[in-house]
Amino acid sequence: MKRRNALTALAIAASLALPALAQAQTINVGVSLSTTGPAASLGIAEKNSIELLPKTLGGLPVNYILLDDASDPSQAAKNARRFIDSDKVDAIIGSTTVPTSLAIAEAATASKTPQVALAPFQPKQIEWVFPLPQSVGVMSSALFEHMKANKIENIAFIGFSDAYGEGWLKDVQKGAAQYGIKVAAVERYARSDQSVTAQTLKLMQSNPQAVFIAASGTPAALPMRALRDRGYKGQFYQTHGVANNDFLRVSGTADEGVVLPTGNVLVSEQLPDSHPSKKPGLDYLKAYEGKHGAGSRSPFGAYAHDAYLVLDKAVTTVAKQNKPGTPEFRTALRDAIEKTNKLPVTHGVITMSPTDHSGFGADGRVLVTIEKNAWKLLK
């Protein structure tokens, strides 16, 4: 009888311990996205993609803690502090824009928490921060090659008056000097501006062959529409920050012929069958458009999916030796992300290194144009 009672007690204790053990082994990932505010057209696609992710990460249960930062760096910083101090997350995904991602990067670095950002930027300290989208340099070189091939000798620049616009301006000035192209005028505007009349007039006065617009989301259509309304007939160049169908909707007919770089996923069907990104891209699009409708694809949503693929591979390599929720796990996870090698994702093939935390090279970009309000791969 005593032996039976002892076995029963052990069985009860074990059954009570199982939920606690499962909880202890759950990976917590904080996700801060700009699902409202000026960058909402990008952040909503990222949120939709997060909601489609598997319920495991590297074979372990995962809990995604999803918060809106309203496209506001101060709110993104508050979200990051909550993730770190209250939720004890093992990693952070986000945010949608450069300013909000930079705000999170400070907290991630200070707390030694891996951050996979969904906007391209160069953090002050690279160790714990992995800005997933293609770097400005990778994307801009494709644009300058296009300019050279089409005998563009002078351009005007207009971009956001924030870290995104500043990063692109520096790169454009550098690339223009390298390719022998004159930057005839430079103008800036805020993401929330409703008019760029004054800037447009100054750009027109410089009589550029092409206008380079360094903006993202639907606000990037504003200068283009204003210039077309005033009769500008030159070439437009945009960044990969506009590669979503909401941009097509807002820009109307002003987008015809614009040239921009983007990750492969936007035109997955147009890629050759041998391309390593074609299968992961088509798999993602089948799931995303299967839920949200044909044509709902967004490269920004695909960045969120690629962040999952990077974390999934990294967790698989460290989960057996380290316990989630500990500093040791976060350090091992950071190290594993940095060792990502030739991982096919929707946008390209990712290879990280101690000096390159983006991981996308020239094979992670394509040039596209817009014809009759649809994306077309430039051969």
Side-chain angles (χ1 to χ4, degrees), residues 14-89:
S15 65
L16 292 174
L18 283 174
L21 179 61
Q23 185 176 13
Q25 295 300 312
T26 296
I27 296 174
N28 289 305
V29 178
V31 185
S32 181
L33 303 174
S34 303
T35 55
T36 59
S41 66
L42 316 183
I44 290 172
E46 294 165 349
K47 176 178 179 290
N48 291 342
S49 296
I50 294 293
E51 291 173 348
L52 289 172
L53 294 180
K55 304 303 181 185
T56 60
L57 196 60
L60 295 179
V62 60
N63 175 36
Y64 292 105
I65 304 158
L66 180 60
L67 298 178
D68 174 26
D69 57 41
S71 309
D72 179 11
S74 62
Q75 185 59 51
K78 291 178 183 177
N79 289 353
R81 293 311 320 173
R82 173 192 150 165
F83 292 150
I84 294 161
D85 296 336
S86 301
D87 299 314
K88 309 298 182 184
V89 299

Side-chain angles (χ1 to χ4, degrees), residues 34 39-50 52 96 118 134 216-218 240-248 262-269 280-281 284-290 292-306 346-347 375:
S34 303
S41 66
L42 316 183
I44 290 172
E46 294 165 349
K47 176 178 179 290
N48 291 342
S49 296
I50 294 293
L52 289 172
T96 303
L118 306 181
Q134 298 85 342
S216 63
T218 53
H240 52 313
V242 305
N244 71 95
N245 286 342
D246 268 354
F247 173 77
L248 298 181
T262 183
N264 298 301
V265 69
L266 191 65
V267 288
S268 288
E269 296 91 342
Y284 166 74
L285 293 176
K286 181 180 179 181
Y288 191 93
E289 294 193 341
H292 298 286
S296 60
R297 71 185 62 187
S298 165
F300 301 93
Y303 285 130
H305 183 78
D306 288 351
T346 69
H347 277 279
W375 306 105

Side-chain angles (χ1 to χ4, degrees), residues 134-153:
Q134 298 85 342
S135 69
V136 170
V138 165
M139 292 305 210
S140 70
S141 61
L143 292 175
F144 279 108
E145 289 165 7
H146 185 273
M147 291 180 202
K148 183 178 179 180
N150 288 273
K151 298 181 169 48
I152 301 293
E153 297 179 353

